[in-house]
């Protein structure tokens, strides 16, 4: 436990690392008599509980902000512990998410709607892959690149990112996606809140270990 919690981001991912600061843990003077194994057990449970708490709250916040179903956001979040240094990690995929996963898709003659978004001129169909998505022909007068982020024109060899060449590239299509760029500024506040939560849960778990130790010694 040499450092506190922190976060870092890349072009496509965000990573929050939770770790109790050694100085802060030493501040729990009443736990000085605990065995090292008991302290490690308490720390491990505190990390796992805080990761679950953080995953739930981020999924709700992102789902609310971007109007995306919470279940779809949760699929972008991966929580795990790393090594023996008492560190927990929460990975968040920040690439644009398929609009078809945001909620219930409704298709009409004029286009497709989902989660309060309207894609005029688009259609809902299985074109590429094993499930249907929301597509639009790039030649359509309704095509707006901002509704189809993370897309590159397909090369002759096949599809690239959100684009696919239909009928030998004569009718290029773009897949509707939702950008997650607007959630990036929140990583610092999420990390801070999670670290404070970790310290609270850590104290609870240390109390639990202290109670077990007291009972084992016949003092409880």
């Amino acid at each position: 436990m040499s450092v506190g919690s922190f976060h870092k981001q890349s072009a496509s991912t965000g990573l929050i690392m939770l770790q109790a600061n050694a100085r802060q843990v030493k501040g729990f003077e009443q736990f000085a008599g605990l065995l090292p194994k008991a302290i490690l057990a308490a720390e491990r449970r505190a990390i796992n509980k805080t990761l679950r708490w953080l995953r739930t709250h981020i999924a709700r916040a992102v789902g609310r902000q971007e109007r995306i179903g919470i279940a779809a956001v949760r699929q972008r979040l991966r929580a795990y512990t790393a090594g023996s240094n008492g560190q927990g990690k929460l990975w968040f995929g920040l690439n644009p998410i398929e609009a078809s996963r945001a909620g219930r898709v409704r298709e009409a003659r004029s286009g497709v709607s989902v989660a309060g978004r309207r894609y005029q001129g688009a259609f809902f169909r299985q074109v590429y892959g094993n499930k249907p998505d929301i597509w639009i022909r790039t030649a359509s007068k309704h095509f707006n690149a901002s509704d189809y982020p993370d897309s590159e024109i397909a090369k002759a060899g096949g599809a690239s990112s959100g684009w696919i060449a239909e009928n030998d590239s004569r009718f290029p299509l773009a897949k509707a996606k939702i950008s997650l760029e607007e959630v990036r500024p929140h990583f610092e506040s999420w990390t801070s809140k999670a670290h404070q939560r970790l310290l609270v849960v850590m104290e609870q778990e240390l109390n639990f270990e202290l109670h077990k130790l007291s009972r084992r010694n016949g003092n409880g």
Side-chain angles (χ1 to χ4, degrees), residues 22-35:
R23 177 179 52 81
Q24 292 171 317
V25 175
K26 285 179 180 177
F28 300 129
E29 295 178 358
Q30 65 269 41
F31 306 115
L34 284 179
L35 297 175

Side-chain angles (χ1 to χ4, degrees), residues 30-35 38 208-220:
Q30 65 269 41
F31 306 115
L34 284 179
L35 297 175
F208 175 73
E209 291 295 334
L210 185 64
H211 180 66
K212 285 201 307 181
L213 184 63
S214 176
R215 292 182 60 184
R216 191 159 56 239
N217 293 334
N219 297 322

Side-chain angles (χ1 to χ4, degrees), residues 127-128 135 151-173:
V127 177
Y128 181 72
W135 302 89
S151 297
E152 298 176 2
I153 296 177
K155 301 294 189 289
S160 176
S161 186
W163 297 65
I164 180 172
E166 183 183 47
N167 296 334
D168 298 322
S169 299
R170 287 180 295 172
F171 303 103
L173 303 176

Side-chain angles (χ1 to χ4, degrees), residues 133-150:
D133 271 304
I134 301 171
W135 302 89
I136 191 172
R137 285 189 168 83
T138 56
S140 170
K141 65 180 181 179
H142 300 298
F143 173 68
N144 184 341
S146 64
D147 291 331
Y148 304 85
D150 193 34

Side-chain angles (χ1 to χ4, degrees), residues 26-97:
K26 285 179 180 177
F28 300 129
E29 295 178 358
Q30 65 269 41
F31 306 115
L34 284 179
L35 297 175
K37 286 186 178 180
I39 295 177
L40 288 175
E43 183 181 30
R44 184 169 55 252
R45 291 197 304 272
I47 287 285
N48 288 331
K49 288 182 178 181
T50 305
L51 284 173
R52 289 195 296 270
W53 176 89
L54 181 60
R55 186 169 183 253
T56 296
H57 282 269
I58 287 182
R60 289 175 181 172
V62 173
R64 227 174 9 246
Q65 176 178 315
E66 301 300 329
R67 292 177 295 161
I68 301 173
I70 293 177
V73 180
R74 287 179 66 88
Q75 290 176 358
R76 287 294 187 92
L77 294 160
R78 298 286 186 273
Y80 54 95
T81 54
S84 58
N85 61 351
Q87 189 179 83
K89 297 184 179 183
L90 184 70
W91 177 91
F92 190 2
L94 291 172
N95 284 330
I97 191 169

Side-chain angles (χ1 to χ4, degrees), residues 198-211:
L198 172 61
L199 295 180
V200 171
V201 179
M202 183 72 179
E203 185 170 6
Q204 293 172 350
E205 294 300 326
L206 286 169
N207 268 316
F208 175 73
E209 291 295 334
L210 185 64
H211 180 66

